[in-house]
Amino acid sequence: MAGATRNVKRSDSIADALPEALKQSRYQMKRCFARYVSKGRRLMKNQQLMEELESTMDDKVEKSKLMEGFLGLVICWTQEAVVLPPFVAFAVRQHPGIWEYVKVNAEDLFVDEITASEFLRFKETIYDERWANDEDALEVDFGAFDLSTPHLSLPSSIGNGMQFISKFLSSKLSENPKNAKSLLDYLLVLNHRGEKLMINGFLDTVSRLQSALILAEVFVSNLPKNMPFEKFEQRFQEWGLEKGWGDTAERVKETVNSLSEILQSPDPVNIDKFLGRVPAIFSIVIFSPHGYFGQADVLGLPDTGGQVVYILDQVRAFEEELLLRIKQQGLTSTPRILVVTRLIPEARGTKCNQELEAILNTKHSHILRVPFRTETGVLHQWVSRFDIYPYLERYARDAASKVLDILEGKPDLIIGNYTDGNLVASLVASKLGVTQGTIAHALEKTKYEDSDVKWKELDPKYHFSCQFTADMISMNTSDFIITSTYQEIAGSKDRPGQYESHNAFTMPGLCRFASGINVFDPKFNIASPGADQSVYFPHTQKHRRLTSFHPAIEELLYSKQDNDEHIGFLADKRKPIIFSMARLDTVKNITGLVEWYGKNSRLRELVNLVVVAGFLDPSKSKDREEISEIKKMHSLIDKYQLKGQLRWISAQNDRVRNGELYRCIADTKGAFVQPALYEAFGLTVIEAMNCGLPTFVTNQGGPAEIIVDGVSGFHIDPTNGDESSNKIANFFARCREDSSYWNRVSTAGLQRINECYTWKIYATKVLNMGTIYGFWRQLNKEEKQAKQRYVKLFYNLQFRNLAKTVPAVDSTSEAVPVSS
Ligand code: UDP
């Protein structure tokens, strides 16, 4: 699988400008490069490169001139460099998603532009020279199949794939009338359980369809707007039009009109509108095989956490949206949603050994559990998410046939979660020919530094060879990819995104991904989750407040005695409370917040601090990092004499009560602070804002996308505690002077949530993706098939063998006979 090279030459190419810049600072640069190569072969990260560059110059003026010039910028943009004396190869990321690779000879400062593949080979030399020099080493280039697929070009548009696809569909339909036939074909096959929808076989040409639409539009225009479709259904059938256009004359007219507009002169607005109304999705299958997936008593069990909560909320939102859409389409069908997970016979008191479980607060959604099977029988025990690869292929087959049985047919949309769910979703979706979406939440490769090049070291424990290969397979199979934030895809100015780091990477000795996934691919879409608004609602909605919790919350916040659940007390109850709640990990930086507060006497005078985090007693924790944070908390409380102003409460797991806790904090006219050193999304931010709490969030990661600084809340810099604590103090000082200010920020936060971060918005977006990408895959059929064959080949030749290297959990003692 040889790699094609497609380095787009940019007008501001670094390879073009670098030689001149090096020439101008030749003396310093020679010194700097001599330093880079002096320690021999190695991989250098951005910080080391910057430090060594700075330390080559003594003169302050010279130094700042150089650092601010083009050379300084190039080093600043360089994510990593490979030193193979006399060469240094740089991977330069000037903008999110835009990478260039250059090689500089440290002796003569000669610059060469190189391809991603060449850079990776350079890098491999550090870890496995023989493999790096093997001309026939396995190189995979998924991008080779995307040459005629449209791609975004602006970094700022990344994650808006659906919009881009509607525009592209519109120009594709305009440029070639044959493509209108594809739309007709798409409509001709629409059906639900064999019942034709929208049009029937009589309308087998575009012009027939157009004529029927004209007749229909004139006809419905003369009907009372709210006349139900059944009243004129027969008339429609005479023209070849079936159910599905709408429930009332008015809605039918709008839908008919938007299709007529598309056929006359396609435009993205009508394409969005029309495809958003097409009755193409009635059933959804969501895969989440690993972990104990249940509704009660599962959180806290290994590998079971955020994903379960996300999926259950997601299902409720999907069901609600599907019910609404089906009604508006004038249909009476019932939607079906199946969350397909693993059946674990050794269920530890959970319902994970039950095959089918109805999902609470839904009418038509279930958890379907299918066991892992081996040749010897059903696997009884839980298996870590890192070890489950050998079971997935068979699981996918078993799950597919169970799904077909239960749904009495194919689902209309398949969504995967995390590596295992996405791989199974890919296998099932390509087998059944169904539109597929993937969700990752966390891509493991970016969690562990250099886990790709060091895969051999990590494989015995984590089996990353399987995991990264599986991730590549599903990213490339999937029709669309859902992320919660832009950061997840393309990072920020300085930090590459999780998906972006899969653009070109290598696992020396195994496989080089000359192109893995391109973040400019229009399959990427941001659809942020919301918070459950039945739990997290504004503190001002007095009639909904859960007053029965108030005595317990009063005790939790204000009682004077320390106990197992809380330490510290609040001497002045009249002060507002700044509140934070998170796991007690280093990255969540709760200790950072406590320290900022401790140091800032103005802030201490203005407000009290309450944090909910971890255990209070280090002996209760098994986690080394948490133990050290617990100890740090105690020492900070002593150091800054915080008792009387700070309350530290241990982790609180009652979601419903926590909702009321946020609202009680809002009653004090307080604020929520999320001070993390880095946060991928930040669910607590959404929860707090839903409760009407003004919120301060870290500027590192997803939360900065949720809040518009100074409007719907505030950004703080976790690396600059003084600035951050002053910003919080300024807010409260202003609130003292202007009593309406707090309300304005609180309301603006709620407005932001309701405009962008609700499960309703999420469900609308994702269901629209289902139809738009469903149509797109039909229009793009040949390319999709070609790529799929390549992916399949890769799956067969690579993944299957890797999965065999993962030791199977010994099932003999646990096995029970396979019944089917
Ligand atoms: N949470 C909780 N009790 C705690 C700490 C956190 O219930 O003591 C909940 C919190 O309400 C939120 C989730 O755990 O729903 C944390 O999500 P977030 O995205 O903030 O952080 P994560 O832990 O997922 O990195």
Side-chain angles (χ1 to χ4, degrees), residues 99-389:
W99 293 72
E100 257 194 83
Y101 303 91
V102 289
K103 184 175 84 176
V104 179
N105 185 323
E107 284 162 10
D108 56 15
L109 299 188
F110 190 81
V111 180
D112 248 339
E113 180 168 11
I114 55 174
T115 62
S117 160
E118 284 164 325
F119 177 81
L120 295 175
R121 235 183 278 183
F122 237 71
K123 192 166 162 182
E124 290 152 9
T125 313
I126 305 176
Y127 302 92
D128 187 340
E129 188 163 8
R130 207 171 55 83
W131 194 78
N133 292 329
D134 178 356
E135 290 277 311
D136 298 316
L138 178 63
E139 178 167 301
V140 172
D141 184 13
F142 288 115
F145 289 84
D146 295 335
L147 289 180
S148 53
T149 312
H151 277 74
L152 307 154
S153 56
L154 297 176
S156 57
S157 301
I158 292 172
N160 280 330
M162 193 164 44
Q163 260 179 22
F164 181 83
I165 287 291
S166 328
K167 286 187 196 153
F168 186 74
L169 283 173
S170 146
S171 67
K172 208 146 167 134
L173 289 172
S174 312
E175 87 198 7
N176 188 349
K178 253 177 54 196
N179 289 329
K181 176 73 169 58
S182 311
L183 182 55
L184 175 72
D185 292 341
Y186 173 77
L187 297 176
L188 275 170
V189 296
L190 284 179
N191 75 90
H192 182 53
R193 294 171 193 264
E195 188 183 18
K196 285 229 135 295
L197 296 172
M198 298 204 90
I199 62 174
N200 61 38
F202 175 70
L203 302 177
D204 57 357
T205 64
V206 175
S207 63
R208 277 192 177 179
L209 172 61
Q210 277 178 305
S211 311
L213 293 176
I214 294 169
L215 290 173
E217 191 171 344
V218 172
F219 174 76
V220 283
S221 302
N222 292 319
L223 300 177
K225 284 182 175 175
N226 53 4
M227 179 182 273
F229 179 76
E230 304 88 77
K231 294 260 158 78
F232 53 92
E233 180 175 356
Q234 213 176 347
R235 201 60 202 274
F236 260 49
Q237 272 181 337
E238 288 164 20
W239 294 317
L241 299 169
E242 299 286 339
K243 287 179 187 157
W245 294 90
D247 54 344
T248 60
E250 185 181 25
R251 203 165 168 92
V252 170
K253 186 182 151 201
E254 285 169 9
T255 317
V256 167
N257 177 267
S258 66
L259 180 58
S260 287
E261 290 277 354
I262 293 170
L263 294 173
Q264 173 183 270
S265 148
D267 69 289
V269 175
N270 274 305
I271 288 182
D272 271 352
K273 181 170 168 186
F274 180 70
L275 290 177
R277 288 178 172 209
V278 164
I281 301 179
F282 298 91
S283 55
I284 305 176
V285 165
I286 300 170
F287 281 106
S288 174
H290 78 251
Y292 290 86
F293 195 110
Q295 302 178 87
D297 306 322
V298 296
L299 295 179
L301 293 178
D303 289 351
T304 306
Q307 198 181 116
V308 172
V309 179
Y310 177 99
I311 293 174
L312 292 173
D313 282 352
Q314 177 195 41
V315 166
R316 290 179 194 116
F318 278 158
E319 185 179 300
E320 224 167 272
E321 185 62 23
L322 281 175
L323 283 168
L324 176 70
R325 284 186 182 206
I326 292 170
K327 184 194 158 291
Q328 288 177 337
Q329 285 152 354
L331 304 173
T332 50
S333 337
T334 42
R336 287 300 304 267
I337 303 176
L338 290 179
V339 175
V340 185
T341 186
R342 216 199 122 187
L343 186 145
I344 310 176
E346 238 173 46
R348 296 205 200 170
T350 69
K351 290 191 177 159
C352 294
N353 53 0
Q354 241 182 45
E355 184 176 84
L356 209 60
E357 182 186 350
I359 295 181
L360 299 172
N361 302 322
T362 68
K363 289 203 187 81
H364 314 286
S365 305
H366 291 84
I367 299 171
L368 167 66
R369 300 193 182 89
V370 178
F372 280 174
R373 292 197 303 165
T374 66
E375 269 136 38
T376 46
V378 164
L379 196 67
H380 258 200
Q381 65 271 53
W382 168 80
V383 179
S384 152
R385 70 185 197 276
F386 294 115
D387 301 333
I388 64 173
Y389 298 101

Side-chain angles (χ1 to χ4, degrees), residues 671-686:
F672 185 78
V673 184
Q674 212 290 9
L677 300 175
Y678 178 77
E679 178 62 58
F681 182 67
L683 221 41
T684 50
V685 174
I686 302 272

Side-chain angles (χ1 to χ4, degrees), residues 306 309 536 581-583 588 612-614 650-655 658 662 674 679 681-685 687:
V309 179
Y536 307 101
M581 175 163 75
R583 287 180 285 115
K588 295 285 181 188
V612 170
S650 62
Q652 297 295 310
N653 292 325
D654 183 340
R655 224 156 79 91
N658 286 350
Y662 283 113
Q674 212 290 9
E679 178 62 58
F681 182 67
L683 221 41
T684 50
V685 174
E687 293 166 358

